[in-house]
Amino acid sequence: MPVFMQGNEALFRGAVAAGGRFYAGYPITPSSEIAELAAQELPKLGGVYLQMEDELASIAAVIGASLAGVPAFTATSGPGFSLMQENLGVAYMAEIPCVVINVMRSGPSTGLATMPAQADVMQARWGTHGDHPALALCPASVQECFELSALAFTYSEQLRMPVTVLADEIIGHLREPLEVPVGTPIASRPLPSCPPGDYGTYDTSAGDVPPLGFFGGPHIVHANSSMHDAAGQPTTRRDTALALIRRLQDKVTARSAEFPQRRWYLDDAEWVFVSFGISARASLAAVERLRSRGVAAGLLQIQTVWPFPRDLVREVCRNARGVFVVELSLGQLVGEVERAVMGHAPVHLIAQSDGRPLLPGDICRRAGEVAGDGFDR
Amino acid sequence: MVLTAKDIAGPRDRGWLRYLRSDTFPTFWCAGCGNGVIMQALARSLAARGPAPEQVAVVTGIGCFGKADDYLTTHSLHGTHGRALGFATGIKAARPELVVIALMGDGDCATIGGNHLIHACRRDIGVLAVVSNNLNYGMTGGQFSATTPEGSITSTSPYGHVEPAFDLCALVQGAGASFVARGTCGQPALLRRLFDEALAHPGFAFVEVMTACPTHYGRANRQGDAPKMMRGIAEAYRGKTGVLFRRETAGFSSKYRALQTARKAADGRVGETR
Ligand SMILES: Cc1ncc(C[n+]2csc(CCOP(=O)(O)OP(=O)(O)O)c2C)c(N)n1
Ligand code: SF4
Ligand SMILES: [Mg+2]
């Protein structure tokens, strides 16, 4: 039986279903419902809600709790996501699992604080300094809020890294039916199995993601955000540094094909729309409208924006008559699509950045302006 | 010859050595730096209290004292400049049975991290916060911090510092800390006693150690060599050390645990009536 639920609540419920039991955050529109639910629900489950003094401390507490062995998450929006960036770097570098839900709103700065945008795509990739990996999931429905939030925990524990759930104000505040998935797997951390004395926090002899112990456990963890060796001791060695920086990237990109994406009407599509989140939803409606008029349109819905599915985009778009990238920013996703398509098909941007969503009619019209006669067949 | 922890400790009372990693010695710290004194006193207090290294989590910031985790056998996180208390708060809230210690410089703890400091005091989270207050940023070349005394010469106050300094013990007491103590690096026995008492405290315990940075602050302000500096610091703080404030408290974690238990029970009752 489906339940009627808000996107933000589904993000929270998905996190809890996957085992999330520790939340630390600082309230911010349009994500605050998640904090309120965490305060209400987590204590009942033996979990913890902490309201920290700011987002720097919030993500720090989340990282601390994760090191103590409790799956931990936070939710925020642009200004808070900005404040989290330095300590997110700690989680990437020291390889500490955690989940960050960013319910995107219109910026820059305080911007249009209550209105939607999708302009934090590059921030979710490159927000913290230095070469680092990224994994970001983008829900486009309440159902996907639940499922991708849960999946974020699985990936973060398995890959020992932060995972961003990149929702947006409309999806976060949308209410629609949710079929609560049965048997959502509890995200499990691959724990060390060697004798405690042999354990190194970053020992990769058993695979590219070293098992992580927990504070209080028998395997002593030396988590280090500075450049470090297999034991977690600081080092300036070139070979160690390069191997670590490479491995942090490669552990994610090597699994690119496993991360979810959604294809809609792509098999015979001549006109390919590429979008995510609320804009993917509007694009799907536009595609269906065009289909009803006999236009062979299809949609690649990006559910995993980072690592960017370059091979998939190339495969889907290379023979298209035109590619339309639909997003609520002046153009962030579009650059990645262009890099993937490499000139094999013309790539057009359908963008909007005024705090208002793109409607299906807008998308059809703007695509039609480009396609011209192409749509009349 | 490279000294090991055993050589330094002498023949007696070796229990505390299990908290120190002598394979990473010699330390990064300059000869005469006060940080080693703090570490030995802390290790001795841990040994007296007795938690296994697996039951201890140490968080450091970034700075000279922020290197302390390199020399410990406990669980550790080497984090970011100023945020050690944020990480420590999450660890303690998630696993209250751990002994959680934040080791910070004055820059870490009270300058860039000042907001976290006052909120950790107010929240009364059961973390032992140790600040190695050497009155400047040792790591980055001796610039001034929020504890640099007015008039001092530092690399960024070459004409004398015009801003007044924080009195950290007064600051944290005002912010609601339930245990406030001050010692100096010239008085290891006093430090030992302060750490013993701080580790037994269930709420937020703040221990300020006035310490010597002979390389930067000492040299810039003509305070002599390390032994002279240590004696000078002990002299300057005579009558201002010891446990300065303490009040009875349950601490954050036991209050939160009671809340969890009550909510679980209430939730169970809702289920029964359905
Ligand atoms: C966000 C940030 N800003 C600046 C720095 C550079 N930095 C590293 S350590 C430090 C000051 C250290 O001073 P303190 O905390 O007093 O420790 P000490 O070296 O004196 O022990 C600074 C400014 C940094 N690492 N991170
Ligand atoms: S620079 Fe100062 S604080 Fe840093 S190790 Fe040297 S003496 Fe100690
Ligand atoms: Mg200092």
Side-chain angles (χ1 to χ4, degrees), chain A residues 86, chain B residues 28-29 33 35 61-67 80-83 104-112 131-141 143 145 147 213:
Chain A
E86 190 195 10
Chain B
F28 154 100
W29 296 317
C33 176
N35 287 341
I62 304 294
C64 291
F65 197 45
K67 296 284 286 177
T80 36
H81 188 41
R83 317 300 165 199
M104 302 167 285
D106 46 296
D108 254 335
C109 174
T111 314
I112 193 168
V131 53
S132 158
N133 187 352
N134 57 14
L135 309 180
N136 74 161
Y137 294 164
M139 178 71 123
T140 45
Q143 299 86 1
S145 85
T147 63
C213 172

Side-chain angles (χ1 to χ4, degrees), chain B residues 195-218:
Chain B
F195 289 143
D196 283 354
E197 297 194 32
L199 284 169
H201 183 73
F204 184 70
F206 181 81
V207 180
E208 177 181 32
V209 185
M210 304 310 305
T211 187
C213 172
T215 303
H216 296 300
Y217 192 84

